[in-house]
Amino acid sequence: MHDRMTDMGAAEGVEFRFEKAQDGSTVDAHRLLHLAWDEGGAPLQETLKERLQHGYFAEGEPIGEPEALRRLALDAGLPAAAVDRLLGSDEYLDAVRVDEDQARRYGITGVPFFVVDATYGASGAQPADALLQLLEKAWEEGRTRSA
């Protein structure tokens, strides 16, 4: 699976170096994603998500360590004071638990997992064509429901 994801990522300009990845809890990373949303909306959240993923998958950053998360969050543009406040508290922990409950209801057991229109899911690394088909199916069914 790692070889497949590495090849697919390379074709899209995304680097995966699974041999460098370090296990750890991602709860604080998810809390930071909520903070990013509140600090800068979708653009900042997306920037942070990409920085976290690159740090974990390509650079071998210990994603469960507060020092690494702080560095990655600041790289992404989050304010230092807000990051420090979050990492020293349980801020957004309830929101992350709600997200985890939703993931369980969807049947998500690993990443990547794509949810489209709260109805369709695709697990694992998928070719772009497969994701496009999923999006088109959701689009057509959504149009049918609203007609």
Side-chain angles (χ1 to χ4, degrees):
M1 180 180 76
H2 285 171
D3 289 343
R4 180 173 172 234
M5 286 182 66
T6 299
D7 292 344
M8 290 175 65
E12 299 296 326
V14 177
E15 181 181 18
F16 290 113
R17 298 188 64 190
F18 292 103
E19 74 280 2
K20 293 180 103 179
Q22 299 183 48
D23 287 339
S25 172
T26 61
V27 169
D28 286 342
H30 285 94
R31 292 190 315 124
L32 283 168
L33 288 165
H34 280 276
L35 174 66
W37 179 268
D38 284 350
E39 290 287 330
L44 183 56
Q45 187 181 58
E46 184 63 26
T47 298
L48 176 62
K49 182 175 66 170
E50 288 180 16
R51 184 64 189 105
L52 291 169
Q53 289 176 340
H54 187 76
Y56 177 76
F57 287 114
E59 299 169 354
E61 289 281 1
I63 203 73
E65 298 294 324
E67 300 82 20
L69 288 171
R70 183 181 193 278
R71 184 174 51 258
L72 296 170
L74 296 181
D75 286 353
L78 270 75
V83 170
D84 292 342
R85 183 189 71 239
L86 179 135
L87 292 174
S89 72
D90 63 356
E91 187 176 357
Y92 297 107
L93 184 57
D94 289 344
V96 171
R97 296 301 183 220
V98 168
D99 294 343
E100 290 172 337
D101 288 342
Q102 181 65 53
R104 276 190 284 283
R105 285 193 297 277
Y106 282 137
I108 298 171
T109 58
V111 294
F113 194 97
F114 305 92
V115 177
V116 178
D117 197 24
T119 304
Y120 301 100
S123 181
Q126 299 288 327
D129 288 346
L131 292 175
L132 179 59
Q133 288 175 4
L134 183 66
L135 290 168
E136 288 172 342
K137 180 177 182 175
W139 174 259
E140 285 302 317
E141 289 194 11
R143 287 177 38 172
T144 302
R145 282 193 306 262
S146 63

